[in-house]
Amino acid sequence: MKLSKELMYDAIVRKDTTFEGVFFTAVKTTGIFCRPSCTARKPKIENVEFYTSTKECIAKGFRPCKVCYPLETLNYTPPEIQKILDEIQSNPQNKIKDLDVEHFGLEPSFLRRWFIKNHGMTFHAFQRMYRINSAFKKIQQGETITNSAFDSGYESLSGFNDSFKNIFGVSPKNGIKQTIIDYKKIETTLGTMVTCVTKNGLCLLEFADNKMLETELELIAKQYNATIIQGQNPLFDEIEKQLNEYFEGQRTQFTMELDIIGTDFQQKVWKTLQTIPYGEMRSCKEQALLLNLSKSMRSVANANRKNRIAIIIPCHRISDVDGKLASYGGGIWRKEYLLNLEHKKNLYQK
């Protein structure tokens, strides 16, 4: 069936979820765009335009709706699942069984499929990962192996030892010598992002659909000689808080601790990125001149591409020599959105 304007308008009036991902509704009078199933008040048909992607909507100047969150991807965490995640994070020693899942209002089979799709493991494997993470940190803080195992919900030392070795490749006795990187997916205005944190600070922040993400995760695991594992870290809350403030136009500088590994040259390039003022752009040539590397512009551009902390180390503020937008790992459409967000804020301040 052809998707006529009348058919799509009828779908949004009925809040038809079967059209999710097929098209998006852009409202000319408000400047926002929505999912087909958005529950907000419906505009008149003459005030509506339809697009097949969020990218088109943003390119036309529309903002994402705060009722239906059209930019949240398939990785978006439904509220019912978020409640379960909150429970795991607060009490990793407690085992949530299928019967408990039903008490949260979910079907165990649905929960299993969602975790496999979004985290690459079953829900019960995810729980085990959190318990191991919790026990690992207790051991590194000086707790005995026995107390760490039982406090984290394990019923036997042998079961704990096997699980620990499967993940870290060593016995708990040697676990104090190991390093972990805590991993979490977070939702932002521009879609799902992956964040990784060491005990010293943020080491990776990338969009989940970045084609280089898997390579970057492998690289940081090698650089830090660490195991990347799902876990909770106090810095995650601060990262989400500061990103939310940034997207709301309430923050122009980030203040969180960073823990980034790179060559001396890369570190210098990344530091110059952090000196570009909010709402402004700098060409790769200008950046090279600032570093007294006018003949190494290509190397500077390559180091920019190796930046693994999106937004906070603002490589989106770099342009080509001719002033056009340079490539961006998260996609040019996201780069345009970030620059427009900052530019509008700057205009308002002036």
Side-chain angles (χ1 to χ4, degrees):
M1 183 183 295
K2 184 180 178 180
L3 284 178
S4 65
K5 185 171 184 177
E6 290 72 24
L7 176 63
M8 290 187 284
Y9 185 78
D10 180 65
I12 69 169
V13 170
R14 292 184 289 104
K15 306 179 184 65
D16 194 336
T17 58
T18 61
F19 284 86
E20 284 290 332
V22 177
F23 68 85
F24 295 88
T25 307
V27 185
K28 292 183 283 187
T29 52
T30 61
I32 65 170
F33 69 96
C34 308
R35 298 175 181 274
S37 59
C38 184
T39 57
R41 183 178 177 182
K42 303 305 173 189
K44 295 179 180 179
I45 190 169
E46 61 264 27
N47 293 327
V48 172
E49 293 178 354
F50 295 100
Y51 298 99
T52 57
S53 70
T54 57
K55 179 179 178 179
E56 288 182 273
C57 295
I58 290 176
K60 294 290 184 180
F62 292 95
R63 307 182 307 279
C65 174
K66 292 186 178 181
V67 175
C68 65
Y69 301 102
L71 283 172
E72 289 179 335
T73 66
L74 294 176
N75 294 318
Y76 167 62
T77 306
E80 296 82 2
I81 293 181
Q82 187 58 53
K83 290 179 182 178
I84 293 178
L85 288 174
D86 291 342
E87 174 61 25
I88 293 173
Q89 291 169 11
S90 299
N91 303 290
Q93 73 279 3
N94 294 342
K95 296 180 182 178
I96 300 177
K97 300 180 180 179
D98 286 351
L99 185 61
D100 301 314
V101 170
E102 292 175 355
H103 290 159
F104 279 94
L106 290 168
E107 286 290 332
S109 58
F110 168 79
L111 189 66
R112 181 179 181 277
R113 289 194 301 271
W114 188 90
F115 269 88
I116 289 174
K117 187 171 187 177
N118 291 280
H119 291 281
M121 65 184 78
T122 65
F123 170 62
H124 295 302
F126 184 89
Q127 284 192 90
R128 288 195 296 273
M129 194 75 75
Y130 253 87
R131 287 202 300 275
I132 284 290
N133 192 316
S134 174
F136 176 90
K137 291 176 179 175
K138 288 177 183 294
I139 291 171
Q140 290 212 321
Q141 290 167 2
E143 284 278 349
T144 65
I145 293 172
T146 300
N147 287 345
S148 298
F150 290 116
D151 288 348
S152 299
Y154 283 86
E155 297 174 355
S156 71
L157 278 177
S158 60
F160 173 69
N161 288 338
D162 290 342
S163 295
F164 195 99
K165 195 166 185 177
N166 283 339
I167 292 176
F168 295 107
V170 296
S171 66
K173 183 178 179 180
N174 295 320
I176 196 168
K177 301 176 183 178
Q178 296 295 301
T179 302
I180 65 167
I181 294 174
D182 290 313
Y183 168 104
K184 184 180 181 181
K185 288 182 177 180
I186 61 175
E187 300 301 329
T188 74
T189 299
L190 287 181
T192 305
M193 298 190 79
V194 169
T195 180
C196 290
V197 171
T198 69
K199 64 180 181 180
N200 297 319
L202 175 66
C203 65
L204 181 140
L205 179 66
E206 284 285 15
F207 291 101
D209 56 6
N210 189 318
K211 294 179 180 178
M212 294 301 295
L213 179 59
E214 288 301 320
T215 301
E216 291 180 342
L217 289 171
E218 291 173 3
L219 180 60
I220 64 172
K222 183 177 180 180
Q223 287 180 324
Y224 292 84
N225 190 26
T227 301
I228 299 175
I229 185 171
Q230 299 271 1
Q232 185 58 10
N233 190 298
L235 188 54
F236 286 145
D237 291 336
E238 186 61 26
I239 293 168
E240 291 188 72
K241 174 179 176 290
Q242 292 195 27
L243 282 174
N244 286 336
E245 291 170 349
Y246 169 80
F247 281 113
E248 291 293 331
Q250 299 170 359
R251 175 176 290 275
T252 60
Q253 290 184 321
F254 293 94
T255 58
M256 68 193 69
E257 292 294 323
L258 304 181
D259 183 14
I260 48 178
I261 291 179
T263 65
D264 289 343
F265 178 79
Q266 289 172 335
Q267 295 282 7
K268 288 178 182 178
V269 172
W270 297 336
K271 283 182 180 179
T272 64
L273 286 174
Q274 294 175 75
T275 66
I276 305 175
Y278 178 95
E280 297 183 17
M281 292 189 70
R282 182 176 292 162
S283 71
C284 193
K285 181 179 180 179
E286 291 172 323
Q287 188 184 13
L289 287 171
L290 189 65
L291 289 163
N292 295 317
L293 295 168
S294 58
K295 296 182 179 180
S296 302
M297 193 170 66
R298 184 172 296 180
S299 298
V300 172
N302 187 53
N304 286 338
R305 286 192 289 270
K306 295 292 179 62
N307 171 35
R308 295 190 295 269
I309 301 183
I311 302 176
I312 294 171
I313 297 181
C315 51
H316 62 275
R317 296 175 191 160
I318 289 293
S319 69
D320 286 333
V321 178
D322 57 5
K324 294 182 180 178
L325 296 185
S327 60
Y328 187 61
I332 289 293
W333 67 278
R334 284 193 176 106
K335 184 168 186 168
E336 291 176 340
Y337 184 95
L338 295 171
L339 292 172
N340 287 335
L341 171 71
E342 295 180 3
H343 181 63
K344 288 176 182 177
K345 175 69 175 177
N346 261 9
L347 289 177
Y348 177 76
Q349 288 176 331
K350 293 175 182 179

